Structure formats: structure tokens, C-alpha cells
Amino acid sequence: MIIQETNSSISSVLKETFRPMQEQVRHMLGLLDDDEHFAWRIWWCPDDADWMFNPEKVEAEFDAAYLQAGGTAEKMSIELRRREDDGEYRFYVVGRDHDLAEPLTDAIDVQDAHEPRHPAELFTADEAAPVFVHYVEQQKIPDGYALRLIDSM
């Protein structure tokens, strides 16, 4: 199952209860306003993990790997934290394919943080939705996206 969190605190199971998954994901990303909704994060746990009745235990075991967006529906950054083959977790900024050596000439503001970004690392809700839908389905981002390692995480 996929767990969703808003602002790193309000969590629930991501479901197709009211609309198809693609539309639900787009809806959640469309709520980002850098105010009441400044971040949306999703992470996977097994269906039998008993998240509903023991969320702290399940979160401690499974929420270290996630995909998140922060900012507004018009301008957001996508970030991925995943476990690598060496067993270590690493944190990346996701971007459309570009030269990772190019300077970071833009920025994203999430709450009080002003984070430098390459223009290819900024998305609208419509542009970010396919990345998140793929993560919901595959627990990874689609091929063709660049990952810029963030050393400080």
C-alpha cells in the first residue's frame, strides 16, 4: 500500500476512493500552496503491515524511502530518498534530463527554506503527476529523469 503524508504529519492510505489514482495524485499535488499544504510525500509499505493499527512501528520500518514534492502547484521540487545497493539511503532532487554539472540558476521556496534548483528540477503539478503515479505503481521514478545527489541529507 502507499501511505501519503501532507506537511510530514497528516498521513493516510492513498486510495482511489473518490477518483482514479492518476486524478487523485494530480489532485493532491494541485493542493500544494506553500502555506497550509507545503509538502506531499508518499511511501510504500506491505498491505499486511498493519499500518492502520500500528502506524509508528510501520513508519519506523518502511518510511525511510519516499518520494516527495514541496512548493506550490505552479512550481514544485520533487525529491527522492531511496535505499541503494550498498544498504545506505541517499537523497536526490529529481529533474528532467539535463547536464547535472550545469549551475543551479533557479530556486524553490518551501516554507522558510530557499533551495537552489536547476530549471529542469522544477515542475508544475501536471508535470509532476506522472512521476508520482509511476512511483505509486512501481516504487521508483520513471526512466529518463536525472537524479542529483544531495550530500547534506
Side-chain angles (χ1 to χ4, degrees):
M1 83 181 78
I2 297 293
I3 306 300
Q4 63 178 343
E5 297 179 5
T6 300
N7 303 341
S8 298
S9 63
I10 303 166
S11 57
S12 63
V13 176
L14 181 61
K15 294 183 177 182
E16 297 181 279
T17 305
F18 300 108
R19 55 186 69 88
M21 187 59 69
Q22 289 180 315
E23 292 176 26
Q24 183 64 26
V25 166
R26 171 55 183 87
H27 172 76
M28 295 305 296
L29 292 166
L31 293 175
L32 292 178
D33 61 4
D34 196 33
D35 186 26
E36 290 184 31
H37 300 93
F38 57 86
W40 187 59
R41 178 170 87 148
I42 59 174
W43 52 275
W44 174 88
C45 71
D47 289 342
D48 63 354
D50 197 31
W51 177 84
M52 294 290 290
F53 300 104
N54 201 352
E56 293 84 13
K57 179 182 179 220
V58 175
E59 288 169 11
E61 186 172 350
F62 294 103
D63 80 341
Y66 56 81
L67 186 67
Q68 69 182 5
T72 68
E74 295 78 27
K75 185 179 181 182
M76 68 181 68
S77 178
I78 302 173
E79 300 163 343
L80 173 72
R81 187 168 191 261
R82 70 180 182 192
R83 188 176 186 178
E84 299 295 351
D85 292 340
D86 63 4
E88 295 295 319
Y89 285 92
R90 293 196 178 79
F91 190 74
Y92 302 90
V93 174
V94 178
R96 290 175 293 285
D97 192 29
H98 67 284
D99 181 353
L100 294 173
E102 290 179 357
L104 306 178
T105 58
D106 211 329
I108 187 71
D109 295 317
V110 180
Q111 293 286 277
D112 293 330
H114 184 77
E115 299 291 332
R117 295 289 185 265
H118 186 279
E121 297 171 344
L122 298 172
F123 297 83
T124 65
D126 287 335
E127 294 167 339
V131 178
F132 278 81
V133 169
H134 189 85
Y135 190 87
V136 166
E137 295 169 348
Q138 306 288 326
Q139 289 78 61
K140 62 181 183 175
I141 64 165
D143 292 337
Y145 286 86
L147 297 177
R148 182 170 54 84
L149 180 65
I150 302 295
D151 294 324
S152 62
M153 297 299 284

Tab-separated table of all heavy atoms in Angstrom, residues 10 58 94 105 107 141:
chain	number	residue	atom	x	y	z
A	10	ILE	N	0.254	14.684	8.580
A	10	ILE	CA	-1.065	14.098	8.381
A	10	ILE	C	-0.912	12.951	7.395
A	10	ILE	O	-0.532	13.166	6.250
A	10	ILE	CB	-2.055	15.137	7.839
A	10	ILE	CG1	-2.131	16.337	8.779
A	10	ILE	CG2	-3.417	14.520	7.612
A	10	ILE	CD1	-2.800	17.543	8.177
A	58	VAL	N	5.210	0.663	11.766
A	58	VAL	CA	5.323	0.529	10.312
A	58	VAL	C	6.139	1.681	9.734
A	58	VAL	O	7.008	1.480	8.881
A	58	VAL	CB	3.926	0.452	9.669
A	58	VAL	CG1	4.022	0.445	8.149
A	58	VAL	CG2	3.193	-0.794	10.154
A	94	VAL	N	14.963	15.290	-8.097
A	94	VAL	CA	14.564	14.718	-9.381
A	94	VAL	C	14.422	15.849	-10.395
A	94	VAL	O	13.879	16.915	-10.075
A	94	VAL	CB	13.225	13.958	-9.247
A	94	VAL	CG1	12.774	13.405	-10.599
A	94	VAL	CG2	13.344	12.851	-8.206
A	105	THR	N	20.448	27.709	-11.283
A	105	THR	CA	20.122	29.112	-11.518
A	105	THR	C	18.721	29.503	-11.067
A	105	THR	O	18.328	30.656	-11.207
A	105	THR	CB	20.265	29.444	-13.015
A	105	THR	OG1	19.387	28.578	-13.756
A	105	THR	CG2	21.707	29.238	-13.475
A	107	ALA	N	15.369	28.490	-7.999
A	107	ALA	CA	15.203	28.077	-6.597
A	107	ALA	C	13.759	27.684	-6.349
A	107	ALA	O	12.857	28.045	-7.108
A	107	ALA	CB	15.601	29.211	-5.660
A	141	ILE	N	11.093	5.986	-9.695
A	141	ILE	CA	10.712	7.004	-10.670
A	141	ILE	C	10.888	6.442	-12.072
A	141	ILE	O	11.642	5.493	-12.285
A	141	ILE	CB	11.511	8.313	-10.469
A	141	ILE	CG1	12.990	8.103	-10.714
A	141	ILE	CG2	11.247	8.905	-9.100
A	141	ILE	CD1	13.743	9.402	-10.884
